[in-house]
Amino acid sequence: MTTSAPPGLARFNAVDGRDAARMLREVCASRAWAAAVADGRPYATLGELLDAADAATAGLTAADLAEATAAHPPIGRPAPGDAASAREQSGVRDEERAQLLELNRAYQERHGQVFLICATGRTGAEMLAALRTRIGHDAETERETVRTELGKINRIRLTRWAETLQAPRAPAEGER
């Protein structure tokens, strides 16, 4: 566990709760997750922040998970202009994209959501194998698998986010 505070943590701790939750939704689209993590401030260390993120992920309802998952692009097709999804999916080779997208459609038909996997550090072949396996999961098993994968994604994104967080900008007149 990381014990030192990254440069952006003090800046994050200093913003008001509404702004903190809004900022956290850049990491995870679940409003419940963002509110829970924002409400736990201040965090003295990155480890404390990650622990709070894990606890918030564990507490998400099925609807909260669906909200978080809906913001993720399909594996094999990173969201245009989204550097995070492009970086996370960099292990996918061009020849694997069509197969991933086809299997993702089958997964969506069965489970009603996009296939979510922590793609960082995984090859396209590894993600294809996981997708083939997870298509057959029952709803509860898959929901818990999604929760685990979302937690991994959140930790990676939150770590990067906390390290690069810039000082909050002052709201423009009329923005509040």
Side-chain angles (χ1 to χ4, degrees), residues 5 21 33 38 45 60 65 82 84 89 94 101 105 109 121 128 142 149 156 161 169:
W33 181 88
T45 65
L60 295 178
L65 283 169
D82 182 351
Q89 294 189 35
D94 288 339
L101 290 170
R105 280 191 289 278
E109 287 176 19
L128 278 167
E142 186 54 21
E149 294 299 315
I156 290 166
W161 177 83
R169 68 174 180 81

Side-chain angles (χ1 to χ4, degrees), residues 170-176:
E173 191 172 316
E175 262 190 349
R176 287 238 174 207

Side-chain angles (χ1 to χ4, degrees), residues 59-151:
L60 295 178
T61 65
D64 298 330
L65 283 169
E67 180 182 36
T69 303
H72 287 265
I75 293 294
R77 189 176 59 219
D82 182 351
S85 67
R87 181 178 50 252
E88 291 163 356
Q89 294 189 35
S90 65
V92 177
R93 297 184 323 230
D94 288 339
E95 58 271 16
E96 295 165 325
R97 291 187 193 287
Q99 195 173 9
L100 280 164
L101 290 170
E102 180 181 328
L103 285 170
N104 196 5
R105 280 191 289 278
Y107 175 94
Q108 284 180 295
E109 287 176 19
R110 175 156 170 87
H111 293 291
Q113 66 188 30
V114 70
F115 173 71
L116 185 72
I117 189 167
C118 181
T120 301
R122 288 191 174 161
T123 66
E126 291 170 328
M127 289 183 271
L128 278 167
L131 183 47
R132 286 186 186 105
T133 298
R134 289 176 49 193
I135 284 174
H137 282 176
D138 63 78
E140 184 58 31
T141 299
E142 186 54 21
R143 187 171 24 260
E144 291 312 308
T145 302
V146 167
R147 182 185 310 279
T148 298
E149 294 299 315
L150 179 64

Side-chain angles (χ1 to χ4, degrees), residues 10-92:
R11 291 187 288 272
F12 171 62
N13 284 332
V15 300
D16 72 28
R18 186 179 64 202
D19 287 343
R22 179 187 50 75
M23 293 163 69
L24 285 164
R25 290 198 63 210
E26 295 173 17
V27 173
C28 178
S30 166
R31 290 179 298 235
W33 181 88
V37 176
D39 289 348
R41 292 172 313 128
Y43 298 107
T45 65
L46 176 59
E48 287 181 11
L49 176 62
L50 295 175
D51 288 347
D54 291 345
T57 302
L60 295 178
T61 65
D64 298 330
L65 283 169
E67 180 182 36
T69 303
H72 287 265
I75 293 294
R77 189 176 59 219
D82 182 351
S85 67
R87 181 178 50 252
E88 291 163 356
Q89 294 189 35
S90 65
V92 177

